[in-house]
PDB file of all heavy atoms in Angstrom:
ATOM      1  N   GLY A  89     -12.993  -0.946  -5.425  1.00 85.00           N
ATOM      2  CA  GLY A  89     -13.181  -0.779  -3.986  1.00 85.00           C
ATOM      3  C   GLY A  89     -13.174  -2.071  -3.196  1.00 85.00           C
ATOM      4  O   GLY A  89     -13.471  -2.076  -2.004  1.00 85.00           O
ATOM      5  N   VAL A  90     -12.818  -3.173  -3.854  1.00 81.00           N
ATOM      6  CA  VAL A  90     -12.783  -4.470  -3.184  1.00 81.00           C
ATOM      7  C   VAL A  90     -11.487  -4.584  -2.387  1.00 81.00           C
ATOM      8  O   VAL A  90     -10.397  -4.409  -2.941  1.00 81.00           O
ATOM      9  CB  VAL A  90     -12.882  -5.623  -4.208  1.00 81.00           C
ATOM     10  CG1 VAL A  90     -12.712  -6.975  -3.535  1.00 81.00           C
ATOM     11  CG2 VAL A  90     -14.185  -5.552  -4.980  1.00 81.00           C
ATOM     12  N   PRO A  91     -11.580  -4.866  -1.082  1.00 82.00           N
ATOM     13  CA  PRO A  91     -10.354  -5.015  -0.295  1.00 82.00           C
ATOM     14  C   PRO A  91      -9.631  -6.317  -0.635  1.00 82.00           C
ATOM     15  O   PRO A  91     -10.251  -7.369  -0.749  1.00 82.00           O
ATOM     16  CB  PRO A  91     -10.845  -5.021   1.157  1.00 82.00           C
ATOM     17  CG  PRO A  91     -12.305  -5.270   1.105  1.00 82.00           C
ATOM     18  CD  PRO A  91     -12.788  -4.964  -0.282  1.00 82.00           C
ATOM     19  N   VAL A  92      -8.326  -6.210  -0.820  1.00 82.00           N
ATOM     20  CA  VAL A  92      -7.466  -7.359  -1.087  1.00 82.00           C
ATOM     21  C   VAL A  92      -6.477  -7.450   0.063  1.00 82.00           C
ATOM     22  O   VAL A  92      -5.856  -6.448   0.431  1.00 82.00           O
ATOM     23  CB  VAL A  92      -6.718  -7.197  -2.434  1.00 82.00           C
ATOM     24  CG1 VAL A  92      -5.743  -8.333  -2.657  1.00 82.00           C
ATOM     25  CG2 VAL A  92      -7.711  -7.085  -3.583  1.00 82.00           C
ATOM     26  N   ARG A  93      -6.345  -8.633   0.626  1.00 83.00           N
ATOM     27  CA  ARG A  93      -5.428  -8.868   1.753  1.00 83.00           C
ATOM     28  C   ARG A  93      -4.684 -10.162   1.460  1.00 83.00           C
ATOM     29  O   ARG A  93      -5.235 -11.248   1.592  1.00 83.00           O
ATOM     30  CB  ARG A  93      -6.235  -8.971   3.034  1.00 83.00           C
ATOM     31  CG  ARG A  93      -5.410  -8.949   4.277  1.00 83.00           C
ATOM     32  CD  ARG A  93      -6.343  -8.888   5.467  1.00 83.00           C
ATOM     33  NE  ARG A  93      -5.588  -8.711   6.678  1.00 83.00           N
ATOM     34  CZ  ARG A  93      -6.043  -9.000   7.873  1.00 83.00           C
ATOM     35  NH1 ARG A  93      -7.261  -9.479   8.019  1.00 83.00           N
ATOM     36  NH2 ARG A  93      -5.295  -8.812   8.922  1.00 83.00           N
ATOM     37  N   MET A  94      -3.440 -10.037   1.026  1.00 84.00           N
ATOM     38  CA  MET A  94      -2.698 -11.175   0.498  1.00 84.00           C
ATOM     39  C   MET A  94      -1.415 -11.441   1.276  1.00 84.00           C
ATOM     40  O   MET A  94      -0.499 -10.612   1.257  1.00 84.00           O
ATOM     41  CB  MET A  94      -2.354 -10.886  -0.965  1.00 84.00           C
ATOM     42  CG  MET A  94      -1.469 -11.911  -1.616  1.00 84.00           C
ATOM     43  SD  MET A  94      -2.191 -13.545  -1.701  1.00 84.00           S
ATOM     44  CE  MET A  94      -3.677 -13.236  -2.586  1.00 84.00           C
ATOM     45  N   PRO A  95      -1.314 -12.592   1.960  1.00 88.00           N
ATOM     46  CA  PRO A  95      -0.034 -12.963   2.556  1.00 88.00           C
ATOM     47  C   PRO A  95       0.920 -13.442   1.454  1.00 88.00           C
ATOM     48  O   PRO A  95       0.484 -14.049   0.476  1.00 88.00           O
ATOM     49  CB  PRO A  95      -0.395 -14.103   3.507  1.00 88.00           C
ATOM     50  CG  PRO A  95      -1.676 -14.649   3.001  1.00 88.00           C
ATOM     51  CD  PRO A  95      -2.368 -13.547   2.245  1.00 88.00           C
ATOM     52  N   TYR A  96       2.213 -13.154   1.615  1.00 90.00           N
ATOM     53  CA  TYR A  96       3.181 -13.555   0.588  1.00 90.00           C
ATOM     54  C   TYR A  96       4.579 -13.670   1.179  1.00 90.00           C
ATOM     55  O   TYR A  96       4.859 -13.220   2.280  1.00 90.00           O
ATOM     56  CB  TYR A  96       3.196 -12.543  -0.568  1.00 90.00           C
ATOM     57  CG  TYR A  96       3.846 -11.246  -0.161  1.00 90.00           C
ATOM     58  CD1 TYR A  96       5.191 -11.019  -0.427  1.00 90.00           C
ATOM     59  CD2 TYR A  96       3.142 -10.274   0.522  1.00 90.00           C
ATOM     60  CE1 TYR A  96       5.808  -9.844  -0.013  1.00 90.00           C
ATOM     61  CE2 TYR A  96       3.741  -9.107   0.929  1.00 90.00           C
ATOM     62  CZ  TYR A  96       5.068  -8.902   0.661  1.00 90.00           C
ATOM     63  OH  TYR A  96       5.678  -7.758   1.087  1.00 90.00           O
ATOM     64  N   MET A  97       5.441 -14.283   0.405  1.00 95.00           N
ATOM     65  CA  MET A  97       6.894 -14.333   0.666  1.00 95.00           C
ATOM     66  C   MET A  97       7.573 -13.744  -0.556  1.00 95.00           C
ATOM     67  O   MET A  97       7.071 -13.874  -1.671  1.00 95.00           O
ATOM     68  CB  MET A  97       7.383 -15.773   0.836  1.00 95.00           C
ATOM     69  CG  MET A  97       6.993 -16.454   2.117  1.00 95.00           C
ATOM     70  SD  MET A  97       7.925 -15.907   3.540  1.00 95.00           S
ATOM     71  CE  MET A  97       9.612 -16.239   3.095  1.00 95.00           C
ATOM     72  N   GLY A  98       8.706 -13.111  -0.332  1.00 96.00           N
ATOM     73  CA  GLY A  98       9.447 -12.549  -1.443  1.00 96.00           C
ATOM     74  C   GLY A  98      10.939 -12.722  -1.258  1.00 96.00           C
ATOM     75  O   GLY A  98      11.430 -12.789  -0.127  1.00 96.00           O
ATOM     76  N   VAL A  99      11.634 -12.834  -2.365  1.00 98.00           N
ATOM     77  CA  VAL A  99      13.091 -12.921  -2.364  1.00 98.00           C
ATOM     78  C   VAL A  99      13.611 -11.881  -3.344  1.00 98.00           C
ATOM     79  O   VAL A  99      13.178 -11.836  -4.496  1.00 98.00           O
ATOM     80  CB  VAL A  99      13.586 -14.320  -2.788  1.00 98.00           C
ATOM     81  CG1 VAL A  99      15.103 -14.364  -2.823  1.00 98.00           C
ATOM     82  CG2 VAL A  99      13.021 -15.397  -1.874  1.00 98.00           C
ATOM     83  N   MET A 100      14.509 -11.028  -2.850  1.00 98.00           N
ATOM     84  CA  MET A 100      15.135 -10.012  -3.698  1.00 98.00           C
ATOM     85  C   MET A 100      16.644 -10.244  -3.678  1.00 98.00           C
ATOM     86  O   MET A 100      17.226 -10.411  -2.606  1.00 98.00           O
ATOM     87  CB  MET A 100      14.842  -8.616  -3.170  1.00 98.00           C
ATOM     88  CG  MET A 100      13.395  -8.243  -3.167  1.00 98.00           C
ATOM     89  SD  MET A 100      13.180  -6.638  -2.375  1.00 98.00           S
ATOM     90  CE  MET A 100      11.909  -5.971  -3.385  1.00 98.00           C
ATOM     91  N   GLN A 101      17.236 -10.227  -4.855  1.00 98.00           N
ATOM     92  CA  GLN A 101      18.690 -10.306  -4.963  1.00 98.00           C
ATOM     93  C   GLN A 101      19.171  -8.983  -5.545  1.00 98.00           C
ATOM     94  O   GLN A 101      18.565  -8.449  -6.483  1.00 98.00           O
ATOM     95  CB  GLN A 101      19.095 -11.476  -5.846  1.00 98.00           C
ATOM     96  CG  GLN A 101      18.761 -12.810  -5.194  1.00 98.00           C
ATOM     97  CD  GLN A 101      19.012 -13.960  -6.141  1.00 98.00           C
ATOM     98  OE1 GLN A 101      18.201 -14.226  -7.014  1.00 98.00           O
ATOM     99  NE2 GLN A 101      20.139 -14.620  -5.962  1.00 98.00           N
ATOM    100  N   PHE A 102      20.244  -8.478  -4.970  1.00 97.00           N
ATOM    101  CA  PHE A 102      20.738  -7.145  -5.314  1.00 97.00           C
ATOM    102  C   PHE A 102      22.060  -7.220  -6.060  1.00 97.00           C
ATOM    103  O   PHE A 102      22.881  -8.107  -5.821  1.00 97.00           O
ATOM    104  CB  PHE A 102      20.926  -6.322  -4.037  1.00 97.00           C
ATOM    105  CG  PHE A 102      19.627  -5.971  -3.368  1.00 97.00           C
ATOM    106  CD1 PHE A 102      18.960  -6.897  -2.582  1.00 97.00           C
ATOM    107  CD2 PHE A 102      19.069  -4.718  -3.540  1.00 97.00           C
ATOM    108  CE1 PHE A 102      17.762  -6.582  -1.967  1.00 97.00           C
ATOM    109  CE2 PHE A 102      17.863  -4.397  -2.937  1.00 97.00           C
ATOM    110  CZ  PHE A 102      17.207  -5.333  -2.142  1.00 97.00           C
ATOM    111  N   GLU A 103      22.234  -6.252  -6.948  1.00 97.00           N
ATOM    112  CA  GLU A 103      23.488  -6.084  -7.675  1.00 97.00           C
ATOM    113  C   GLU A 103      23.713  -4.583  -7.809  1.00 97.00           C
ATOM    114  O   GLU A 103      22.809  -3.858  -8.249  1.00 97.00           O
ATOM    115  CB  GLU A 103      23.380  -6.739  -9.055  1.00 97.00           C
ATOM    116  CG  GLU A 103      24.642  -6.704  -9.868  1.00 97.00           C
ATOM    117  CD  GLU A 103      24.464  -7.423 -11.202  1.00 97.00           C
ATOM    118  OE1 GLU A 103      24.035  -8.598 -11.199  1.00 97.00           O
ATOM    119  OE2 GLU A 103      24.738  -6.782 -12.234  1.00 97.00           O
ATOM    120  N   ASP A 104      24.881  -4.139  -7.410  1.00 94.00           N
ATOM    121  CA  ASP A 104      25.207  -2.708  -7.468  1.00 94.00           C
ATOM    122  C   ASP A 104      24.174  -1.849  -6.727  1.00 94.00           C
ATOM    123  O   ASP A 104      23.826  -0.747  -7.164  1.00 94.00           O
ATOM    124  CB  ASP A 104      25.336  -2.232  -8.922  1.00 94.00           C
ATOM    125  CG  ASP A 104      26.420  -2.987  -9.690  1.00 94.00           C
ATOM    126  OD1 ASP A 104      27.444  -3.325  -9.063  1.00 94.00           O
ATOM    127  OD2 ASP A 104      26.236  -3.241 -10.893  1.00 94.00           O
ATOM    128  N   GLY A 105      23.648  -2.385  -5.606  1.00 94.00           N
ATOM    129  CA  GLY A 105      22.711  -1.643  -4.773  1.00 94.00           C
ATOM    130  C   GLY A 105      21.285  -1.571  -5.292  1.00 94.00           C
ATOM    131  O   GLY A 105      20.441  -0.898  -4.716  1.00 94.00           O
ATOM    132  N   LYS A 106      21.023  -2.283  -6.384  1.00 97.00           N
ATOM    133  CA  LYS A 106      19.683  -2.263  -6.972  1.00 97.00           C
ATOM    134  C   LYS A 106      19.123  -3.681  -7.032  1.00 97.00           C
ATOM    135  O   LYS A 106      19.870  -4.658  -7.085  1.00 97.00           O
ATOM    136  CB  LYS A 106      19.716  -1.656  -8.365  1.00 97.00           C
ATOM    137  CG  LYS A 106      20.187  -0.202  -8.350  1.00 97.00           C
ATOM    138  CD  LYS A 106      19.897   0.484  -9.649  1.00 97.00           C
ATOM    139  CE  LYS A 106      20.384   1.913  -9.627  1.00 97.00           C
ATOM    140  NZ  LYS A 106      19.542   2.801  -8.866  1.00 97.00           N
ATOM    141  N   VAL A 107      17.792  -3.782  -7.060  1.00 98.00           N
ATOM    142  CA  VAL A 107      17.145  -5.094  -7.149  1.00 98.00           C
ATOM    143  C   VAL A 107      17.407  -5.664  -8.539  1.00 98.00           C
ATOM    144  O   VAL A 107      17.012  -5.081  -9.551  1.00 98.00           O
ATOM    145  CB  VAL A 107      15.628  -4.989  -6.894  1.00 98.00           C
ATOM    146  CG1 VAL A 107      14.979  -6.362  -7.038  1.00 98.00           C
ATOM    147  CG2 VAL A 107      15.346  -4.387  -5.527  1.00 98.00           C
ATOM    148  N   ARG A 108      18.090  -6.794  -8.573  1.00 98.00           N
ATOM    149  CA  ARG A 108      18.432  -7.453  -9.848  1.00 98.00           C
ATOM    150  C   ARG A 108      17.471  -8.601 -10.155  1.00 98.00           C
ATOM    151  O   ARG A 108      17.108  -8.837 -11.296  1.00 98.00           O
ATOM    152  CB  ARG A 108      19.867  -7.969  -9.781  1.00 98.00           C
ATOM    153  CG  ARG A 108      20.342  -8.717 -11.003  1.00 98.00           C
ATOM    154  CD  ARG A 108      20.444  -7.788 -12.198  1.00 98.00           C
ATOM    155  NE  ARG A 108      21.102  -8.424 -13.308  1.00 98.00           N
ATOM    156  CZ  ARG A 108      20.490  -9.193 -14.208  1.00 98.00           C
ATOM    157  NH1 ARG A 108      19.197  -9.438 -14.128  1.00 98.00           N
ATOM    158  NH2 ARG A 108      21.179  -9.726 -15.202  1.00 98.00           N
ATOM    159  N   ARG A 109      17.074  -9.317  -9.111  1.00 98.00           N
ATOM    160  CA  ARG A 109      16.105 -10.410  -9.242  1.00 98.00           C
ATOM    161  C   ARG A 109      15.100 -10.287  -8.108  1.00 98.00           C
ATOM    162  O   ARG A 109      15.484 -10.044  -6.973  1.00 98.00           O
ATOM    163  CB  ARG A 109      16.786 -11.772  -9.189  1.00 98.00           C
ATOM    164  CG  ARG A 109      17.744 -11.991 -10.331  1.00 98.00           C
ATOM    165  CD  ARG A 109      18.273 -13.429 -10.360  1.00 98.00           C
ATOM    166  NE  ARG A 109      19.080 -13.636 -11.540  1.00 98.00           N
ATOM    167  CZ  ARG A 109      18.612 -13.868 -12.758  1.00 98.00           C
ATOM    168  NH1 ARG A 109      17.319 -13.934 -12.955  1.00 98.00           N
ATOM    169  NH2 ARG A 109      19.412 -14.032 -13.779  1.00 98.00           N
ATOM    170  N   TRP A 110      13.820 -10.465  -8.443  1.00 97.00           N
ATOM    171  CA  TRP A 110      12.750 -10.323  -7.451  1.00 97.00           C
ATOM    172  C   TRP A 110      11.727 -11.412  -7.736  1.00 97.00           C
ATOM    173  O   TRP A 110      11.203 -11.510  -8.843  1.00 97.00           O
ATOM    174  CB  TRP A 110      12.143  -8.948  -7.596  1.00 97.00           C
ATOM    175  CG  TRP A 110      11.111  -8.536  -6.583  1.00 97.00           C
ATOM    176  CD1 TRP A 110      10.435  -9.322  -5.705  1.00 97.00           C
ATOM    177  CD2 TRP A 110      10.635  -7.209  -6.374  1.00 97.00           C
ATOM    178  NE1 TRP A 110       9.566  -8.568  -4.958  1.00 97.00           N
ATOM    179  CE2 TRP A 110       9.672  -7.263  -5.358  1.00 97.00           C
ATOM    180  CE3 TRP A 110      10.926  -5.982  -6.963  1.00 97.00           C
ATOM    181  CZ2 TRP A 110       8.996  -6.139  -4.904  1.00 97.00           C
ATOM    182  CZ3 TRP A 110      10.252  -4.870  -6.507  1.00 97.00           C
ATOM    183  CH2 TRP A 110       9.309  -4.948  -5.493  1.00 97.00           C
ATOM    184  N   ARG A 111      11.470 -12.236  -6.709  1.00 96.00           N
ATOM    185  CA  ARG A 111      10.491 -13.316  -6.849  1.00 96.00           C
ATOM    186  C   ARG A 111       9.466 -13.208  -5.723  1.00 96.00           C
ATOM    187  O   ARG A 111       9.841 -13.159  -4.551  1.00 96.00           O
ATOM    188  CB  ARG A 111      11.191 -14.679  -6.799  1.00 96.00           C
ATOM    189  CG  ARG A 111      12.139 -14.905  -7.953  1.00 96.00           C
ATOM    190  CD  ARG A 111      12.879 -16.231  -7.871  1.00 96.00           C
ATOM    191  NE  ARG A 111      13.725 -16.376  -6.702  1.00 96.00           N
ATOM    192  CZ  ARG A 111      14.952 -15.833  -6.559  1.00 96.00           C
ATOM    193  NH1 ARG A 111      15.443 -15.072  -7.519  1.00 96.00           N
ATOM    194  NH2 ARG A 111      15.664 -16.041  -5.479  1.00 96.00           N
ATOM    195  N   ASP A 112       8.195 -13.171  -6.078  1.00 94.00           N
ATOM    196  CA  ASP A 112       7.116 -13.164  -5.093  1.00 94.00           C
ATOM    197  C   ASP A 112       6.383 -14.497  -5.145  1.00 94.00           C
ATOM    198  O   ASP A 112       6.094 -15.009  -6.232  1.00 94.00           O
ATOM    199  CB  ASP A 112       6.127 -12.019  -5.365  1.00 94.00           C
ATOM    200  CG  ASP A 112       6.656 -10.667  -4.914  1.00 94.00           C
ATOM    201  OD1 ASP A 112       7.485 -10.634  -3.982  1.00 94.00           O
ATOM    202  OD2 ASP A 112       6.236  -9.646  -5.479  1.00 94.00           O
ATOM    203  N   TYR A 113       6.085 -15.016  -3.960  1.00 92.00           N
ATOM    204  CA  TYR A 113       5.392 -16.288  -3.808  1.00 92.00           C
ATOM    205  C   TYR A 113       4.085 -16.041  -3.061  1.00 92.00           C
ATOM    206  O   TYR A 113       4.103 -15.510  -1.948  1.00 92.00           O
ATOM    207  CB  TYR A 113       6.238 -17.272  -2.992  1.00 92.00           C
ATOM    208  CG  TYR A 113       7.570 -17.613  -3.614  1.00 92.00           C
ATOM    209  CD1 TYR A 113       8.674 -16.774  -3.444  1.00 92.00           C
ATOM    210  CD2 TYR A 113       7.726 -18.762  -4.373  1.00 92.00           C
ATOM    211  CE1 TYR A 113       9.905 -17.083  -4.011  1.00 92.00           C
ATOM    212  CE2 TYR A 113       8.952 -19.083  -4.945  1.00 92.00           C
ATOM    213  CZ  TYR A 113      10.036 -18.242  -4.761  1.00 92.00           C
ATOM    214  OH  TYR A 113      11.248 -18.542  -5.326  1.00 92.00           O
ATOM    215  N   PHE A 114       2.971 -16.388  -3.681  1.00 85.00           N
ATOM    216  CA  PHE A 114       1.673 -16.280  -3.021  1.00 85.00           C
ATOM    217  C   PHE A 114       0.702 -17.218  -3.727  1.00 85.00           C
ATOM    218  O   PHE A 114       0.976 -17.728  -4.811  1.00 85.00           O
ATOM    219  CB  PHE A 114       1.147 -14.837  -3.035  1.00 85.00           C
ATOM    220  CG  PHE A 114       0.914 -14.265  -4.411  1.00 85.00           C
ATOM    221  CD1 PHE A 114      -0.314 -14.396  -5.035  1.00 85.00           C
ATOM    222  CD2 PHE A 114       1.933 -13.597  -5.073  1.00 85.00           C
ATOM    223  CE1 PHE A 114      -0.524 -13.876  -6.306  1.00 85.00           C
ATOM    224  CE2 PHE A 114       1.724 -13.066  -6.334  1.00 85.00           C
ATOM    225  CZ  PHE A 114       0.492 -13.202  -6.949  1.00 85.00           C
ATOM    226  N   ASP A 115      -0.432 -17.455  -3.092  1.00 79.00           N
ATOM    227  CA  ASP A 115      -1.458 -18.335  -3.636  1.00 79.00           C
ATOM    228  C   ASP A 115      -2.332 -17.525  -4.592  1.00 79.00           C
ATOM    229  O   ASP A 115      -3.128 -16.688  -4.162  1.00 79.00           O
ATOM    230  CB  ASP A 115      -2.276 -18.923  -2.484  1.00 79.00           C
ATOM    231  CG  ASP A 115      -3.248 -19.983  -2.954  1.00 79.00           C
ATOM    232  OD1 ASP A 115      -3.776 -19.866  -4.087  1.00 79.00           O
ATOM    233  OD2 ASP A 115      -3.498 -20.926  -2.183  1.00 79.00           O
ATOM    234  N   TYR A 116      -2.179 -17.772  -5.869  1.00 73.00           N
ATOM    235  CA  TYR A 116      -2.891 -16.991  -6.884  1.00 73.00           C
ATOM    236  C   TYR A 116      -4.405 -17.154  -6.763  1.00 73.00           C
ATOM    237  O   TYR A 116      -5.156 -16.218  -7.017  1.00 73.00           O
ATOM    238  CB  TYR A 116      -2.404 -17.388  -8.277  1.00 73.00           C
ATOM    239  CG  TYR A 116      -2.744 -16.364  -9.333  1.00 73.00           C
ATOM    240  CD1 TYR A 116      -2.118 -15.125  -9.337  1.00 73.00           C
ATOM    241  CD2 TYR A 116      -3.689 -16.629 -10.307  1.00 73.00           C
ATOM    242  CE1 TYR A 116      -2.423 -14.172 -10.294  1.00 73.00           C
ATOM    243  CE2 TYR A 116      -3.995 -15.687 -11.269  1.00 73.00           C
ATOM    244  CZ  TYR A 116      -3.367 -14.459 -11.255  1.00 73.00           C
ATOM    245  OH  TYR A 116      -3.672 -13.516 -12.196  1.00 73.00           O
ATOM    246  N   ASP A 117      -4.865 -18.334  -6.354  1.00 75.00           N
ATOM    247  CA  ASP A 117      -6.301 -18.537  -6.188  1.00 75.00           C
ATOM    248  C   ASP A 117      -6.866 -17.652  -5.084  1.00 75.00           C
ATOM    249  O   ASP A 117      -8.002 -17.192  -5.168  1.00 75.00           O
ATOM    250  CB  ASP A 117      -6.617 -20.009  -5.899  1.00 75.00           C
ATOM    251  CG  ASP A 117      -6.450 -20.882  -7.132  1.00 75.00           C
ATOM    252  OD1 ASP A 117      -6.549 -20.350  -8.266  1.00 75.00           O
ATOM    253  OD2 ASP A 117      -6.211 -22.087  -6.972  1.00 75.00           O
ATOM    254  N   VAL A 118      -6.078 -17.407  -4.036  1.00 69.00           N
ATOM    255  CA  VAL A 118      -6.533 -16.513  -2.967  1.00 69.00           C
ATOM    256  C   VAL A 118      -6.698 -15.096  -3.511  1.00 69.00           C
ATOM    257  O   VAL A 118      -7.663 -14.403  -3.191  1.00 69.00           O
ATOM    258  CB  VAL A 118      -5.558 -16.535  -1.770  1.00 69.00           C
ATOM    259  CG1 VAL A 118      -5.914 -15.466  -0.753  1.00 69.00           C
ATOM    260  CG2 VAL A 118      -5.561 -17.903  -1.126  1.00 69.00           C
ATOM    261  N   LEU A 119      -5.772 -14.664  -4.358  1.00 65.00           N
ATOM    262  CA  LEU A 119      -5.884 -13.340  -4.961  1.00 65.00           C
ATOM    263  C   LEU A 119      -7.155 -13.240  -5.805  1.00 65.00           C
ATOM    264  O   LEU A 119      -7.896 -12.267  -5.719  1.00 65.00           O
ATOM    265  CB  LEU A 119      -4.656 -13.023  -5.803  1.00 65.00           C
ATOM    266  CG  LEU A 119      -4.653 -11.664  -6.490  1.00 65.00           C
ATOM    267  CD1 LEU A 119      -4.716 -10.537  -5.465  1.00 65.00           C
ATOM    268  CD2 LEU A 119      -3.422 -11.518  -7.370  1.00 65.00           C
ATOM    269  N   LYS A 120      -7.414 -14.259  -6.605  1.00 68.00           N
ATOM    270  CA  LYS A 120      -8.630 -14.245  -7.424  1.00 68.00           C
ATOM    271  C   LYS A 120      -9.880 -14.225  -6.548  1.00 68.00           C
ATOM    272  O   LYS A 120     -10.842 -13.519  -6.848  1.00 68.00           O
ATOM    273  CB  LYS A 120      -8.650 -15.445  -8.372  1.00 68.00           C
ATOM    274  CG  LYS A 120      -7.621 -15.349  -9.484  1.00 68.00           C
ATOM    275  CD  LYS A 120      -7.820 -16.400 -10.551  1.00 68.00           C
ATOM    276  CE  LYS A 120      -7.623 -17.789 -10.014  1.00 68.00           C
ATOM    277  NZ  LYS A 120      -7.579 -18.829 -11.037  1.00 68.00           N
ATOM    278  N   THR A 121      -9.871 -14.972  -5.448  1.00 68.00           N
ATOM    279  CA  THR A 121     -11.013 -14.986  -4.530  1.00 68.00           C
ATOM    280  C   THR A 121     -11.222 -13.606  -3.925  1.00 68.00           C
ATOM    281  O   THR A 121     -12.348 -13.098  -3.864  1.00 68.00           O
ATOM    282  CB  THR A 121     -10.794 -16.019  -3.406  1.00 68.00           C
ATOM    283  OG1 THR A 121     -10.711 -17.320  -3.997  1.00 68.00           O
ATOM    284  CG2 THR A 121     -11.921 -15.994  -2.392  1.00 68.00           C
ATOM    285  N   ALA A 122     -10.133 -12.984  -3.490  1.00 61.00           N
ATOM    286  CA  ALA A 122     -10.236 -11.651  -2.890  1.00 61.00           C
ATOM    287  C   ALA A 122     -10.780 -10.649  -3.894  1.00 61.00           C
ATOM    288  O   ALA A 122     -11.638  -9.826  -3.566  1.00 61.00           O
ATOM    289  CB  ALA A 122      -8.874 -11.197  -2.376  1.00 61.00           C
ATOM    290  N   LYS A 123     -10.312 -10.718  -5.112  1.00 61.00           N
ATOM    291  CA  LYS A 123     -10.761  -9.765  -6.126  1.00 61.00           C
ATOM    292  C   LYS A 123     -12.211 -10.012  -6.521  1.00 61.00           C
ATOM    293  O   LYS A 123     -12.879  -9.112  -7.009  1.00 61.00           O
ATOM    294  CB  LYS A 123      -9.851  -9.813  -7.342  1.00 61.00           C
ATOM    295  CG  LYS A 123      -8.501  -9.183  -7.047  1.00 61.00           C
ATOM    296  CD  LYS A 123      -7.669  -9.064  -8.289  1.00 61.00           C
ATOM    297  CE  LYS A 123      -6.424  -8.285  -7.948  1.00 61.00           C
ATOM    298  NZ  LYS A 123      -6.021  -7.395  -8.979  1.00 61.00           N
ATOM    299  N   ALA A 124     -12.695 -11.234  -6.306  1.00 66.00           N
ATOM    300  CA  ALA A 124     -14.095 -11.532  -6.584  1.00 66.00           C
ATOM    301  C   ALA A 124     -14.977 -11.169  -5.381  1.00 66.00           C
ATOM    302  O   ALA A 124     -16.163 -11.440  -5.385  1.00 66.00           O
ATOM    303  CB  ALA A 124     -14.262 -13.002  -6.939  1.00 66.00           C
ATOM    304  N   ALA A 125     -14.367 -10.562  -4.340  1.00 59.00           N
ATOM    305  CA  ALA A 125     -15.068 -10.093  -3.140  1.00 59.00           C
ATOM    306  C   ALA A 125     -15.702 -11.234  -2.356  1.00 59.00           C
ATOM    307  O   ALA A 125     -16.735 -11.070  -1.742  1.00 59.00           O
ATOM    308  CB  ALA A 125     -16.093  -9.023  -3.492  1.00 59.00           C
TER     309      ALA A 125
END
Side-chain angles (χ1 to χ4, degrees):
V90 175
V92 175
R93 191 173 187 200
M94 174 62 57
Y96 72 95
M97 287 285 302
V99 178
M100 297 175 143
Q101 292 173 281
F102 291 79
E103 184 178 306
D104 301 325
K106 298 194 181 284
V107 178
R108 178 67 170 85
R109 297 188 174 280
W110 186 345
R111 296 177 298 281
D112 283 333
Y113 299 83
F114 62 90
D115 187 326
Y116 198 69
D117 287 336
V118 172
L119 180 61
K120 290 191 296 190
T121 297
K123 288 188 173 218

